[in-house]
Amino acid sequence: MAGFSLRPCGDFRTTYRQDTRIFDTTYIRNAAILGIFAVAMIPFVLDGYYVNLFIQISYFAIAALGLNILVGFTGQISLGHAAFFGFGAFASAWINNTTGIPVLLSIPLAGLMTAAVGMLFGLPAARIKGLYLAIATLAAQFILEDFFARAEWFTGGSYGAAANPINVFGYEIYDDFSFFYVALFFLVVMYLLGTNLMRTRDGRAFVAVRDHYLSAEIMGINLTKYRLMSFAISSFYAGVGGAMYGHYLGFVSAEGFTILLSIQFLGMIIIGGLGSVKGTLMGTVFMVLLPEVMESGVSALSVFEWASSTAVTDGLAYIKEMAIGLAIILFLIFEPDGLAHRWQQIRAYWKLYPFSY
Amino acid sequence: MNFELLFQLLLNGLIVGTLYGVVAMCFVLIYKSTQIVNFAQGEFLLIGAWVCYAFLVEMSMPFWLGFLFTLLFMMAFGIVLQMVVLRPMIGEPIISVIMVTIGLSIFFQAATKWIFGATTATYPQVFETRSLNVLGMQIETAYIMSFVISLFIMAGFYWFFKYSKLGLAMRATAFDQQVAQSLGISVKTVFAMSWAISALVSGVAGIVIGMVNGVSSALSVIGIKVFPAVILGGLDSIVGAIVGGVIIGLLENTAEFVDGQYLHWGNLFSIAPFYVLIIILCIKPYGLFGTKDIERI
């Protein structure tokens, strides 16, 4: 994929088909498949706390991948991703509650609905870019948040909406253990789709629009079409992620989808690495684990006087928020290419050791 | 139709609008001279208001002294922020710059909540009388004072950019960084000073709003309300910022009037500016007074 790769000696590419494979080498592919099997073992080995964390990571990671397609690959900026995430959650619950379509089908349908809404708010993107687009999507965030609180037929207003558990062939999924596999399935499918997208003509068009939109237009890429398409795909991912979130919790309330969540999504892709599918996953893991690690860190430090003082224990929620902001700032200053780049460097170090030049 | 209420709301709109105008002006100042979009503008207000509160209440200083110390603090704060956080971001893509200021915004918002608590605090009484009678209407003294201070700040900005040496240097830098540098203007100083001035003036606006409404994290919402104002006026126009601020202030209160009298939808006034924002971006993205970008390949 992008960047320099570490192929073994003598492994040359002779066709474009070989050059655009999803996995660079057979070893990486096998490692990825093994990795998925290893992850699938988690519920048997680790306890419920970790299973719950994995499920959180999976729905956030799906939505974050959508944002990375928009921001990292197409170069558009969206500050309203949480609103689309929320819209997906409400849409899936609404479809399932009103029409009785099974949940497993209503999740992608909710994704499509969110894609339509995303395109609506992406319309200004046909004319504006960069900063102006950031502000337009900020407006979208507030308008959709207001809509959630207002549209009682759709969201249940301030009471929220109930979302039924997922039903697979008559087998109802209501506990973490079985939902884990649904989440894993969606995660793998959506990430494969995302990686694949970047190998197609459309994916390359996105990258061209990002790198130099005027040159892209001269080369015959329809800017409006691809910008809108990018918004639609990004919102689709957000919608699917949101729908999973809704059905996992069993209840969707209008308060959860604030600007802070939008910023967290942006934080995930920046920490992971803009324009990297693998990085998105890393960034999401980082962002979900950060508050958890801090919480256990504070409780581990409670032997000290200052860590068990009320200022720290009562203000833990604020300290976590500060940590999110700080992580974003520090990554942007010291590692703007994100964890994906760092991972690449670590691999290169081991691969080339001891002659790392 | 209730004309008296409408008139009262419009007057409120004008006063709030001038405050929006002042904050928008600070935002434009930073954007114009350093090309950075400051999403943490609202947090400047918040910090200014809380620091002043700390000086007045915790250290029980007289108002003028606390106010003066707050100004000094905000100025130093702006300079340090620019030097430590924003200077490494020069030349980075726009998404990184936006994200850094957003990161600052959450960081400071959480930090002020942690240090000062999440509840609303009120300043000690500064004025003797609660309200004055102007043209047959009761207006709070704090409102009048905020209006006067806003006008004063605007006049100050006008003088600063028209006559003072630093202001002229800033305008030159905004116009062309390289030429300014070759004429002996220190671009670094200009960058630091524009953040300092922006932080200082925003801090004053924060104190003024804090006097009227009390100090709480709700102050940072102003930082977001600034966007409709700035986009309406044009991102790089100081006059546009003032006009945009006043229009958004009036619009908000008109929306509240229409909502309260006819529609009964609830919080229309807080969401109306964002609809306007989307519409402007679709029709006239460079605003009323902004310069249109012409790009070359």
Side-chain angles (χ1 to χ4, degrees):
Chain A
M1 310 262 322
F4 80 115
S5 58
L6 298 161
R7 269 178 231 134
C9 218
D11 182 5
F12 297 120
R13 299 290 146 89
T14 47
T15 58
Y16 282 117
R17 210 185 151 72
Q18 282 179 340
D19 204 38
T20 54
R21 275 194 309 211
I22 291 187
F23 298 106
D24 211 19
T25 58
T26 330
Y27 174 74
I28 295 178
R29 189 189 62 205
N30 293 341
I33 292 171
L34 262 180
I36 292 170
F37 275 110
V39 169
M41 289 286 119
I42 285 181
F44 293 104
V45 184
L46 299 170
D47 63 12
Y49 171 71
Y50 295 99
V51 175
N52 171 280
L53 274 185
F54 177 84
I55 293 170
Q56 273 186 45
I57 288 172
S58 64
Y59 55 67
F60 281 135
I62 289 173
L65 180 61
L67 189 63
N68 212 344
I69 289 173
L70 183 69
V71 180
F73 287 105
T74 323
Q76 313 286 302
I77 303 175
S78 172
L79 293 178
H81 208 61
F84 297 129
F85 185 77
F87 191 90
F90 283 121
S92 184
W94 180 73
I95 290 172
N96 178 244
N97 289 342
T98 51
T99 63
I101 291 174
V103 176
L104 218 50
L105 209 63
S106 82
I107 289 179
L109 278 179
L112 289 179
M113 230 168 123
T114 318
V117 175
M119 272 168 87
L120 185 71
F121 282 102
L123 274 180
R127 270 173 70 91
I128 55 178
K129 62 187 178 58
L131 162 65
Y132 291 94
L133 189 59
I135 296 172
T137 50
L138 185 72
Q141 163 83 37
F142 288 112
I143 289 172
L144 277 177
E145 250 183 83
D146 183 57
F147 172 78
F148 293 155
R150 203 186 292 284
E152 281 181 18
W153 56 273
F154 184 62
T155 65
S158 47
Y159 299 108
N164 294 324
I166 293 178
N167 200 321
V168 187
F169 307 118
Y171 176 70
E172 202 153 86
I173 289 172
Y174 50 86
D175 62 342
D176 281 11
F177 185 86
S178 41
F179 194 93
F180 176 89
Y181 291 101
V182 177
L184 184 65
F185 169 74
F186 271 102
L187 184 69
V188 172
V189 168
M190 294 305 268
Y191 266 69
L192 276 179
L193 280 179
T195 324
N196 229 348
L197 176 73
M198 290 307 133
R199 307 193 302 152
T200 60
R201 185 195 141 84
D202 293 336
R204 289 194 301 272
F206 287 160
V207 175
V209 170
R210 172 194 71 188
D211 286 346
H212 203 297
Y213 75 103
L214 284 175
S215 310
E217 197 168 22
I218 289 166
M219 276 161 53
I221 290 168
N222 185 343
L223 280 189
T224 310
K225 178 184 152 193
Y226 281 107
R227 279 180 178 160
L228 272 184
M229 195 189 206
S230 177
F231 259 98
I233 292 174
S234 145
S235 311
F236 176 78
Y237 272 84
V240 170
M244 280 171 61
Y245 165 85
H247 289 295
Y248 175 57
L249 292 189
F251 179 76
V252 194
S253 109
E255 277 104 50
F257 313 110
T258 56
I259 180 89
L260 185 66
L261 186 60
S262 284
I263 295 167
Q264 271 176 296
F265 278 129
L266 277 167
M268 286 170 197
I269 62 170
I270 280 172
I271 288 170
L274 289 175
S276 161
V277 174
K278 188 171 52 189
T280 313
L281 198 55
M282 293 181 189
T284 314
V285 172
F286 184 93
M287 209 43 137
V288 173
L289 292 189
L290 179 69
E292 304 293 331
V293 169
M294 287 193 62
E295 189 151 355
S296 49
V298 165
S299 60
L301 286 172
S302 60
V303 285
F304 298 109
E305 180 100 21
W306 59 268
S308 54
S309 63
T310 48
V312 173
T313 46
D314 291 352
L316 196 60
Y318 303 132
I319 297 176
K320 283 181 195 166
E321 253 178 69
M322 280 161 71
I324 291 169
L326 207 60
I328 293 172
I329 297 169
L330 292 179
F331 262 93
L332 279 168
I333 293 178
F334 295 111
E335 183 63 280
D337 293 324
L339 288 172
H341 177 68
R342 181 60 55 184
W343 171 244
Q344 194 72 260
Q345 279 180 332
I346 292 171
R347 274 189 56 202
Y349 179 80
W350 284 113
K351 198 98 183 174
L352 304 173
Y353 188 82
F355 305 109
S356 59
Y357 42 82
Chain B
M1 196 152 164
N2 191 343
F3 277 107
E4 200 174 325
L5 181 67
L6 179 65
F7 193 63
Q8 179 84 47
L9 280 173
L10 284 182
L11 200 68
N12 274 356
L14 184 68
I15 291 166
V16 175
T18 45
L19 273 172
Y20 287 164
V22 167
V23 182
M25 221 158 61
C26 300
F27 179 89
V28 169
L29 174 67
I30 287 183
Y31 181 73
K32 218 175 145 152
S33 52
T34 65
Q35 266 83 51
I36 286 172
V37 190
N38 187 11
F39 276 82
Q41 200 73 46
E43 279 64 33
F44 283 1
L45 274 81
L46 194 60
I47 292 168
W50 275 121
V51 167
C52 188
Y53 175 82
F55 279 134
L56 293 186
V57 177
E58 318 258 308
M59 301 185 198
S60 48
M61 285 182 187
F63 180 75
W64 62 272
L65 196 65
F67 188 71
L68 210 68
F69 274 131
T70 311
L71 295 191
L72 286 176
F73 174 85
M74 287 311 286
M75 204 151 167
F77 176 72
I79 292 174
V80 169
L81 201 62
Q82 203 275 334
M83 275 166 56
V84 175
V85 182
L86 279 315
R87 197 164 283 172
M89 301 313 293
I90 292 174
E92 294 281 330
I94 188 160
I95 169 84
S96 312
V97 179
I98 288 179
M99 278 313 291
V100 160
T101 58
I102 289 178
L104 285 175
S105 154
I106 7 180
F107 179 77
F108 286 124
Q109 210 172 97
T112 49
K113 269 189 208 153
W114 186 34
I115 298 169
F116 296 105
T119 46
T120 309
T122 45
Y123 282 117
Q125 194 77 19
V126 181
F127 298 105
E128 298 286 309
T129 46
R130 290 283 303 162
S131 59
L132 290 176
N133 197 332
V134 179
L135 297 172
M137 289 204 298
Q138 291 294 317
I139 303 173
E140 276 187 57
T141 325
Y143 269 128
I144 295 175
M145 180 211 58
S146 88
F147 189 62
V148 171
I149 288 184
S150 305
L151 291 183
F152 190 71
I153 291 173
M154 285 171 190
F157 261 63
Y158 177 78
W159 174 84
F160 180 75
F161 284 108
K162 190 96 181 172
Y163 299 109
S164 80
K165 204 166 176 183
L166 185 61
L168 288 172
M170 278 184 182
R171 273 171 61 194
T173 313
F175 186 73
D176 192 324
Q177 272 177 30
Q178 274 182 339
V179 173
Q181 204 155 22
S182 69
L183 287 174
I185 293 167
S186 163
V187 173
K188 272 187 180 173
T189 315
V190 166
F191 277 19
M193 283 320 286
S194 55
W195 277 83
I197 293 170
S198 181
L200 187 151
V201 176
S202 301
V204 173
I207 295 170
V208 167
I209 299 173
M211 275 180 187
V212 179
N213 294 339
V215 192
S216 71
S217 56
L219 265 179
S220 59
V221 176
I222 307 272
I224 290 174
K225 284 278 167 60
V226 155
F227 288 111
V230 168
I231 292 291
L232 182 62
L235 252 181
D236 51 1
S237 161
I238 297 229
V239 181
I242 298 169
V243 174
V246 172
I247 292 177
I248 292 299
L250 289 175
L251 176 90
E252 245 184 24
N253 281 276
T254 320
E256 192 175 358
F257 176 74
V258 172
D259 191 24
Q261 298 286 308
Y262 305 108
L263 296 174
H264 305 294
W265 279 0
N267 53 344
L268 181 67
F269 79 99
S270 65
I271 209 76
F274 294 108
Y275 283 106
V276 174
L277 176 62
I278 293 259
I279 292 167
I280 299 163
L281 281 173
C282 287
I283 304 167
K284 199 170 164 37
Y286 298 102
L288 297 174
F289 299 94
T291 43
K292 203 171 166 164
D293 270 349
I294 299 169
E295 286 189 55
R296 291 171 208 280
I297 305 173

